[in-house]
């Protein structure tokens, strides 16, 4: 089959590789119908994720048709069209039974390495390095899906592939970021990063009762998309983020702040932002922190800072004093996609959210290398690329 393989920083290639096969009785094999490149794939593309090996197949956002079934799988049949959560979960460990699917204790065979690095490991992930289990990803013609009775969600025929694809990650991720804000009617929410996750966080915040959402980014097309979703905007290259947020909230600060930036953050040129970039280039820090620092500084007393963006390693110069003095709640972590897929599918069916608006580029799997480059450089107003095998 053809698959998008990682060969090094800024080097992905579409290669012929062996087809996946049933390795465990709870597996299914999918023929991939549609897949996407995620902002977090750019972390791998940029060389910021350790534990990659040459030839690893990328991709954790995909949807497909079941073509082969392990002997223990009860809930799926050949021909079913399913969308698959990016996090792999067993469904029976302590974490899974507490509805904390992305913290599954059983699905990452390499959990010991992450335990050593970070003191803990979450679940296995598709296409996301050997630290997260070395599972082949879905940017391919076929993919093996473990624990197939637990993750995949069968799709009704009237929902299109494009409508359903983002149930795999970014729609639940944006939704959980907003849900973690514990919003009350009338709340004001600020969202750093108007990429796809930020866009879904904006719309979810309104669904959950926010009266105003303020989106912070520097890319005009993304700010326009935020405005279309009902948000006010701050271009951080033009305006001082803190001062503007205070002006917009009567000097109090937003009730909740969402850092939907993660590793892609592009600081506003301050000394601290440059410091982060130097450290990142030297592998001394794996994150850029400007957005998180601003979120903590700007959030109102007693508010919530919600962090869906990926963080790893150790955070430097995080203003813990401000967070403590203001009694902030910090909510974070990998998305428990399994928890959100069915209710969000119901929202899509009801028409209360149509996730397809984030798609800016449609390409074939064969064009993946070019698509990664376009997405990384944010050229051509690139917000989200979907690939059809
Ligand atoms: Zn993703
Ligand atoms: Zn589990």
């Amino acid at each position: 089959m053809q698959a998008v393989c990682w060969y090094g920083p800024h080097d992905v290639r579409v290669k012929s590789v062996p087809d996946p096969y049933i390795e465990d009785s709870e597996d299914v094999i999918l023929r991939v119908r549609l897949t996407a490149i995620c902002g977090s794939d750019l972390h791998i593309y940029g060389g910021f994720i350790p534990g990659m090996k040459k030839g690893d197949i990328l991709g954790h956002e995909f949807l497909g048709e079941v073509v082969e079934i392990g002997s223990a799988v009860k809930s799926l049949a050949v021909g079913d069209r399913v969308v698959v959560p990016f996090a792999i979960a067993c469904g029976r460990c302590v974490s899974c039974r507490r509805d904390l699917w992305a913290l599954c204790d059983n699905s990452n065979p390499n959990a010991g390495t992450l335990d050593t690095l970070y003191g803990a490991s979450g679940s296995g992930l598709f296409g996301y390095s050997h630290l997260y289990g070395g599972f082949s990803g879905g940017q391919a013609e076929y993919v093996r899906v473990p624990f197939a009775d637990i993750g995949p969600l069968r799709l009704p025929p009237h929902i299109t592939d494009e409508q359903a694809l983002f149930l795999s990650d970014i729609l639940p991720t944006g939704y959980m970021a907003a849900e973690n804000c514990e919003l009350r009617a009338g709340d004001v929410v600020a969202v750093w990063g108007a990429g796809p996750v930020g866009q879904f966080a904006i719309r979810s915040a309104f669904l959950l009762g926010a009266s105003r959402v303020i989106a912070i980014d520097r890319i005009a097309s993304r700010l326009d998309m935020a405005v279309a979703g009902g948000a006010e905007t701050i271009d951080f290259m033009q305006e001082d983020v803190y001062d503007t947020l205070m002006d917009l909230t009567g000097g109090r600060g937003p009730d909740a702040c969402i850092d939907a930036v993660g590793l892609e953050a592009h600081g506003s040129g301050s000394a601290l932002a440059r410091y982060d970039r130097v450290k990142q280039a030297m592998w001394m820090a794996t994150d850029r922190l400007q957005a998180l620092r601003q979120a903590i500084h700007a959030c109102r007393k007693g508010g919530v800072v919600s962090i869906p963006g990926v963080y790893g390693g150790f955070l430097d110069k995080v203003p813990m004093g401000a967070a403590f003095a203001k009694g902030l709640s910090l909510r974070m972590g990998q998305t428990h996609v399994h928890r959100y897929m069915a209710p969000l599918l119901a929202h899509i069916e009801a028409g209360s959210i149509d996730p397809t608006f984030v798609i800016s580029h449609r390409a074939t799997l064969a064009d993946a290398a070019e698509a990664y480059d376009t997405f990384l450089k944010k050229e051509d107003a690139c917000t989200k690329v979907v690939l059809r095998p």
Side-chain angles (χ1 to χ4, degrees), residues 90-91 93 96 104-105:
C90 76
C93 71
C96 285
C104 176
D105 302 309

Side-chain angles (χ1 to χ4, degrees), residues 141-268:
E141 289 183 285
Y142 296 91
V143 61
R144 178 178 79 94
V145 177
F147 302 114
D149 279 327
I150 305 301
L153 177 71
R154 202 186 292 115
L155 295 167
H158 55 277
I159 294 294
T160 66
D161 290 349
E162 287 192 354
Q163 282 178 301
L165 177 61
F166 304 133
L167 289 168
S168 58
D169 178 359
I170 54 173
L171 176 55
T173 296
Y175 188 87
M176 188 171 108
E179 191 185 70
N180 275 344
C181 293
E182 292 165 1
L183 296 173
R184 297 182 195 182
D187 277 357
V188 180
V189 180
V191 180
W192 277 255
V197 169
Q199 298 292 340
F200 289 135
I202 290 166
R203 281 141 183 94
S204 301
F206 282 124
L207 276 178
L208 291 165
S211 66
R212 294 167 64 201
V213 181
I214 302 159
I216 301 154
D217 206 298
R218 71 190 160 92
I219 298 174
S221 57
R222 295 181 172 206
L223 291 173
D224 290 346
M225 206 180 259
V227 170
E232 300 155 60
T233 59
I234 298 173
D235 177 343
F236 68 74
M237 300 300 275
Q238 306 292 333
E239 293 171 279
D240 182 87
V241 173
Y242 180 87
D243 290 349
T244 311
L245 283 174
M246 291 305 134
D247 286 349
L248 290 171
T249 58
R252 218 164 48 110
D255 299 291
C257 293
I258 297 174
D259 164 12
V261 175
L263 200 74
E264 276 192 272
H266 176 280
S268 57

Side-chain angles (χ1 to χ4, degrees), residues 25-56:
S25 59
E26 294 178 67
D27 292 349
V28 297
I29 305 294
L30 296 190
R31 182 178 64 78
V32 176
R33 292 172 55 96
L34 195 62
T35 179
I37 306 175
C38 181
S40 65
D41 289 327
L42 295 180
H43 305 181
I44 298 179
Y45 188 62
F48 297 116
I49 303 294
M52 291 296 294
K53 294 181 186 167
K54 282 185 168 44
D56 283 349

